[in-house]
Amino acid sequence: MKWFIVFQLLSGIFVPPGIHAQTVHYDVKVGGRTIGSVKVLHFEGKTGAEKRRIEADFSVPFYSGSFYSENQFHNGALKSSLTEHRVNGKQKEKTATFSTIPQRYQIDFSTNSPKTEKSRDLAQSISHTITSLYYEEPLGLKAVYSERYGQMCILEKAGAERYRISLPNGKQSLYIYRSGICEEVETELAGVKIRIVRKDTRLAAM
């Protein structure tokens, strides 16, 4: 029942017509080979409501997967998020975050590992998430919220228009910008270094 409620929160806000939607495409690359794609979608309403969603698919020998993360904001504050990671056609993990009262969130985890905690409360103001890094350069930010891991992650400046984020699993990802637009992400997938490279030169209306 709780997951159904979270789904309603994530899907019901943006049903009315007149919503402005945009999308940007990225290639997932290993060396010079494209192994997948990332779609970054942005839905913006007229009453301070905003939805940010990432959809990713990738495939390497003996390993294929998909990932999505969807964030709902209102007046700049995170209201709810849902992420899901699937490997070889099976759900590996799912995380839901939703605001219970201002500056307080409940986080529910669903994974195949019996060692993973089932839920967590977080007393924190959240205005930027890891998903947000695809949408805008994180000027002045020191931390962003990981929708997948349900906790804040340290963000450091790594050079001109470059930012490094440290993840709870001990890995790091590098986000590279040009004129405030995310052009490339260097990260790791199944133990392999990958590059997520922007295809579009501008936002295209859906």
Side-chain angles (χ1 to χ4, degrees), residues 82-136:
L82 182 65
T83 68
E84 183 182 40
H85 185 197
R86 302 183 70 87
V87 174
N88 295 332
K90 297 181 179 180
Q91 180 182 300
K92 182 178 180 181
E93 59 186 22
K94 182 184 285 188
T95 307
T97 303
F98 54 97
S99 177
T100 53
I101 58 175
Q103 299 188 20
R104 192 172 189 91
Y105 296 86
Q106 180 173 325
I107 306 151
D108 293 324
F109 301 93
S110 175
T111 72
N112 296 330
S113 173
K115 297 181 180 180
T116 302
E117 60 184 313
K118 298 302 181 183
S119 63
R120 176 191 303 165
D121 288 328
L122 179 66
Q124 176 79 46
S125 175
I126 300 176
S127 58
H128 293 81
T129 67
I130 289 181
T131 294
S132 298
L133 296 176
Y134 281 90
Y135 293 81
E136 57 195 355

Side-chain angles (χ1 to χ4, degrees), residues 54-177:
I54 289 178
E55 300 173 357
D57 292 282
F58 41 85
S59 180
V60 295
F62 310 110
Y63 184 99
S64 64
S66 64
F67 176 83
Y68 78 79
S69 177
E70 184 168 296
N71 294 178
Q72 300 277 8
F73 292 86
H74 189 262
N75 292 332
L78 180 69
K79 302 303 294 182
S80 60
S81 74
L82 182 65
T83 68
E84 183 182 40
H85 185 197
R86 302 183 70 87
V87 174
N88 295 332
K90 297 181 179 180
Q91 180 182 300
K92 182 178 180 181
E93 59 186 22
K94 182 184 285 188
T95 307
T97 303
F98 54 97
S99 177
T100 53
I101 58 175
Q103 299 188 20
R104 192 172 189 91
Y105 296 86
Q106 180 173 325
I107 306 151
D108 293 324
F109 301 93
S110 175
T111 72
N112 296 330
S113 173
K115 297 181 180 180
T116 302
E117 60 184 313
K118 298 302 181 183
S119 63
R120 176 191 303 165
D121 288 328
L122 179 66
Q124 176 79 46
S125 175
I126 300 176
S127 58
H128 293 81
T129 67
I130 289 181
T131 294
S132 298
L133 296 176
Y134 281 90
Y135 293 81
E136 57 195 355
E137 184 176 352
L139 296 171
L141 294 181
K142 301 298 183 182
V144 294
Y145 177 69
S146 168
E147 312 96 298
R148 177 183 177 184
Y149 294 103
Q151 63 187 75
M152 302 299 292
C153 297
I154 296 174
L155 184 68
E156 300 175 298
K157 192 79 181 291
E161 298 184 297
R162 291 170 174 254
Y163 299 83
R164 182 175 291 108
I165 186 167
S166 299
L167 302 172
N169 62 1
K171 298 177 182 179
Q172 294 184 328
S173 296
L174 181 68
Y175 289 76
I176 302 171
Y177 297 81

